[in-house]
Amino acid sequence: MPHLVLIGLAAILLWSLISHRFQRWGVAGPIGLLLLGAVTVVWDVDAFSSAIDSPISEKIVEIILAVLLFADATEVKGGIFGREGKVIARLVLIALPLSIALTVTAGVFLIPDAGLLVLLAIACVILPTDFAATASLIRNRHIPARLRQILNVESGYNDGLISPVFGMSLALAVIWSTIERTPTTDLTENSLDGPVTEFLMAFVNAVPATVIAIVIGIILGAGIGYLVRIARARAIADALGARYVMLILPLIAYGVASIPVFNANGFVAAFVAGIGYRLTRTRGHRSDGIDHSELLLVEEVGALAANFVWFVLGGAMLIVVTSGADWWMLLFALLGLTLLRIIPVYLSLMRSSVGRGDRLLIGALGPRGTASIVFGLLAYNALPEDDGVIVLTVMVATVVGSILLHGLAAPLLLRRRHLEDETA
């Protein structure tokens, strides 16, 4: 384990020195880190599997996700849903739940060995969009400026909104697996009383835990955002101090929510803290976004954490290869990247200000990245081996497929569409 960590850190260090050369190639960064991870892990796949399936790895991944969710929430410009509030609301409040429902339904037929709760967790893993790995796509000049704004805001919100559903489904799936795996010969009158009670309590407490996390996030985010605004206006604090605040705040929000007395969802708390911080920090400003000088540190830490996550994906890919991937899972991942997103997006935007062609484009342009990887690693860590491998397989297939589809094929198709429009 220690040698894998050292080799991994050395690989990311070397990549950091040369990554600038590859930025103009879009997905070259994630692909390079993925290959570095695979080369590093290939010598001892079992050791890597044990390393990521440990409590320490779980906490590291959770902290990374908290920072990333906070960063996503603070980078949105405009009101709660950005400048395209009605469209974004349709995408995250109608299209996203519909995508989850369709994904679970498709999973029942394609992966019958997985229970409904595991399928719900899988849906939460493969549906969040992330343009960090395909930044060149969101900047593509062949995509109308309005659509770029919609896609950017949506990607900043759907992983935060989906995190409570993921947390609930994963917790319930873990408890339910305990019940299912109790041998019939060991059943007694009280043998399942504990697990069943725990399952019911987890289900009943899911909504209150989310509400508490929202309250914690609002209080901390809005309160600290207000203090930073006052401190900056009166020259008590400078941009450096604000940068430190923005890095520490998501850790505090996550930590407070995780205290046993609250037992709330730390991811939701960090995400809501980001929204609250942005709204109070920018209130009264002519520019509705946080100044980049204050965002710089949390963005850089988030980028470094994302590099680590992509590196880990390379090792996860080897686990999937050695365990033997079922082609039905690959088909499921392909559907998740296409129809299971495109259809809900198109339906949700009917009778809106978005035209038919643009609806299809928004649905087709939904790359998967860091959030999917982190959710997948958390599920692999928490679930029993069989279910964990299923989730990991679908996650790897989805993210790697997204690199090919959104990182390589989409820019070429957009360019071709633009040329055809000019010719017509």
Side-chain angles (χ1 to χ4, degrees):
M1 168 63 178
H3 68 283
L4 286 177
V5 174
L6 291 175
I7 294 174
L9 290 175
I12 295 175
L13 184 151
L14 293 174
W15 177 255
S16 300
L17 294 176
I18 64 174
S19 60
H20 179 70
R21 277 295 182 94
F22 298 92
Q23 286 180 354
R24 65 179 183 272
W25 294 343
V27 295
I31 291 175
L33 288 164
L34 188 150
L35 294 177
L36 279 174
V39 170
T40 302
V41 171
V42 70
W43 307 107
D44 200 343
V45 178
D46 290 338
F48 175 79
S49 178
S50 299
I52 64 172
D53 191 16
S54 65
I56 294 178
S57 297
E58 181 182 13
K59 284 301 175 186
I60 292 174
V61 171
E62 287 179 350
I63 291 173
I64 289 174
L65 182 59
V67 172
L68 294 176
L69 290 174
F70 177 86
D72 285 345
T74 55
E75 290 176 358
V76 174
K77 294 182 179 181
I80 292 180
F81 285 125
R83 293 168 181 163
E84 291 285 350
K86 292 182 180 179
V87 174
I88 301 301
R90 285 172 176 248
L91 289 173
V92 298
L93 300 179
I94 299 176
L96 187 56
L98 184 55
S99 290
I100 293 175
L102 288 178
T103 302
V104 173
T105 303
V108 170
F109 295 99
L110 294 176
I111 315 178
D113 292 338
L116 286 177
L117 292 170
V118 174
L119 290 173
L120 181 57
I122 291 176
C124 296
V125 168
I126 68 173
L127 290 178
T129 59
D130 180 12
F131 280 89
T134 54
S136 60
L137 180 61
I138 199 65
R139 295 193 298 265
N140 193 301
R141 61 188 178 88
H142 301 317
I143 302 176
R146 185 193 180 198
L147 296 194
R148 289 202 300 269
Q149 169 70 6
I150 291 171
L151 287 165
N152 201 31
V153 175
E154 182 209 5
S155 69
Y157 268 88
N158 58 12
D159 49 357
L161 294 175
I162 213 170
S163 61
V165 182
F166 171 75
M168 180 193 71
S169 61
L170 183 60
L172 293 176
V174 171
I175 299 170
W176 187 254
S177 67
T178 302
I179 297 174
E180 288 188 321
R181 282 171 167 74
T182 302
T184 306
T185 55
D186 294 343
L187 290 177
T188 63
E189 184 177 351
N190 297 319
S191 61
L192 292 180
D193 183 60
V196 170
T197 301
E198 190 177 354
F199 178 87
L200 294 175
M201 290 300 297
F203 182 79
V204 170
N205 292 331
V207 173
T210 301
V211 172
I212 292 172
I214 292 173
V215 172
I216 292 172
I218 291 174
I219 293 174
L220 290 175
I224 294 178
Y226 174 79
L227 292 177
V228 171
R229 176 161 63 88
I230 298 300
R232 290 283 280 149
R234 299 181 180 180
I236 298 174
D238 58 5
L240 178 62
R243 289 199 291 271
Y244 290 153
V245 168
M246 290 193 66
L247 181 60
I248 296 171
L249 176 54
L251 304 180
I252 293 177
Y254 171 82
V256 170
S258 302
I259 293 175
V261 67
F262 294 124
N263 196 26
N265 190 313
F267 303 142
V268 174
F271 179 71
V272 174
I275 297 174
Y277 181 89
R278 170 172 57 85
L279 294 177
T280 56
R281 172 67 188 92
T282 60
R283 186 179 179 183
H285 285 202
R286 291 181 180 178
S287 172
D288 55 6
I290 299 175
D291 190 271
H292 187 257
S293 64
E294 297 181 11
L295 289 169
L296 190 59
L297 182 59
V298 74
E299 284 182 346
E300 291 179 340
V301 172
L304 180 60
N307 286 346
F308 171 77
V309 169
W310 282 98
F311 178 85
V312 172
L313 179 66
M317 186 171 63
L318 289 186
I319 295 176
V320 169
V321 171
T322 56
S323 63
D326 192 321
W327 75 272
W328 288 104
M329 298 182 192
L330 304 182
L331 175 60
F332 185 55
L334 178 61
L335 288 175
L337 290 170
T338 54
L339 295 180
L340 297 178
R341 170 176 165 83
I342 293 174
I343 293 174
V345 166
Y346 188 90
L347 293 176
S348 70
L349 295 179
M350 291 180 66
R351 297 186 178 182
S352 71
S353 59
V354 181
R356 182 181 302 175
D358 289 342
R359 288 179 225 156
L360 291 173
L361 189 58
I362 292 173
L365 297 179
R368 312 307 199 268
T370 309
S372 292
I373 300 170
V374 172
F375 282 148
L377 291 173
L378 289 173
Y380 178 74
N381 188 291
L383 291 169
E385 183 177 358
D386 293 343
D387 291 335
V389 170
I390 291 175
V391 178
L392 195 70
T393 300
V394 176
M395 180 273 286
V396 170
T398 301
V399 176
V400 174
S402 180
I403 291 175
L404 300 176
L405 181 63
H406 301 109
L408 300 178
L412 297 176
L413 294 175
L414 286 169
R415 183 180 179 184
R416 180 178 177 181
R417 176 194 176 191
H418 180 71
L419 293 174
E420 290 177 349
D421 291 342
E422 286 186 337
T423 303

